[in-house]
Amino acid sequence: MKTNITYHRASTTEDLQQILKLQELNLRHLISDEDKEKEGFVTLKHDFEMLKRMNDVCAHCIVKMKSEVVGYALSMHQDFKNYIPLLEPMFVEINKAIKQHNNSLNYIAMGQICIDKRVRGQGVFRKLYN
């Protein structure tokens, strides 16, 4: 594993801009079918304002190689469930499960995760998730 890989919480505008840059490079409609099947892809494209609002509630986890963001896991508080229509069904299911157990939980959904091709296969995802 590369020794210059570090794990952080997003804390600057530059961190958020780099998340968006990595996201853009891995959007489903911009990569080949072969890469989609072999490497995966991301579905949602966030705008800076939404990413920042989410980060202000619970900072996103990021991976840096030197000063460059090479991986991220977005954190999404349940208060944002109505702002991204594609994710609404996920929150409906989570809330159903919570109600079935007679619980009321304050939770954060681990959202989109993306790892730069240069560092895939090196355990970065697992460490980021931890």
Side-chain angles (χ1 to χ4, degrees), residues 85-100:
L86 188 62
L87 297 181
E88 286 178 20
M90 175 186 76
F91 283 103
V92 167
E93 291 303 313
I94 290 170
N95 289 330
K96 268 198 249 182
I98 290 169
K99 286 178 184 175
Q100 284 178 339

Side-chain angles (χ1 to χ4, degrees), residues 75-118:
S75 301
M76 187 174 199
H77 189 274
Q78 59 189 335
D79 289 348
F80 292 96
K81 65 184 172 210
N82 296 321
Y83 290 96
I84 302 177
L86 188 62
L87 297 181
E88 286 178 20
M90 175 186 76
F91 283 103
V92 167
E93 291 303 313
I94 290 170
N95 289 330
K96 268 198 249 182
I98 290 169
K99 286 178 184 175
Q100 284 178 339
H101 297 286
N102 296 319
N103 290 330
S104 62
L105 297 176
N106 186 15
Y107 62 88
I108 298 289
M110 169 92 41
Q112 185 179 84
I113 298 173
C114 185
I115 307 297
D116 189 290
K117 280 185 173 187
R118 295 172 293 166

Side-chain angles (χ1 to χ4, degrees), residues 45-92:
K45 180 178 180 177
H46 297 80
D47 63 34
F48 180 83
E49 195 56 41
M50 177 59 70
L51 193 66
K52 183 178 182 328
R53 287 177 56 210
M54 290 165 49
N55 195 69
D56 288 346
V57 174
C58 181
H60 307 300
C61 298
I62 58 174
V63 181
K64 287 188 171 185
M65 188 165 56
K66 298 184 180 176
S67 62
E68 180 184 2
V69 172
V70 294
Y72 63 81
L74 302 184
S75 301
M76 187 174 199
H77 189 274
Q78 59 189 335
D79 289 348
F80 292 96
K81 65 184 172 210
N82 296 321
Y83 290 96
I84 302 177
L86 188 62
L87 297 181
E88 286 178 20
M90 175 186 76
F91 283 103
V92 167

Side-chain angles (χ1 to χ4, degrees), residues 6 16-17 23 26 34 49 64 73 91 93 106:
T6 56
L16 298 177
Q17 290 171 336
Q23 182 181 71
N26 290 279
E34 182 181 332
E49 195 56 41
K64 287 188 171 185
F91 283 103
E93 291 303 313
N106 186 15

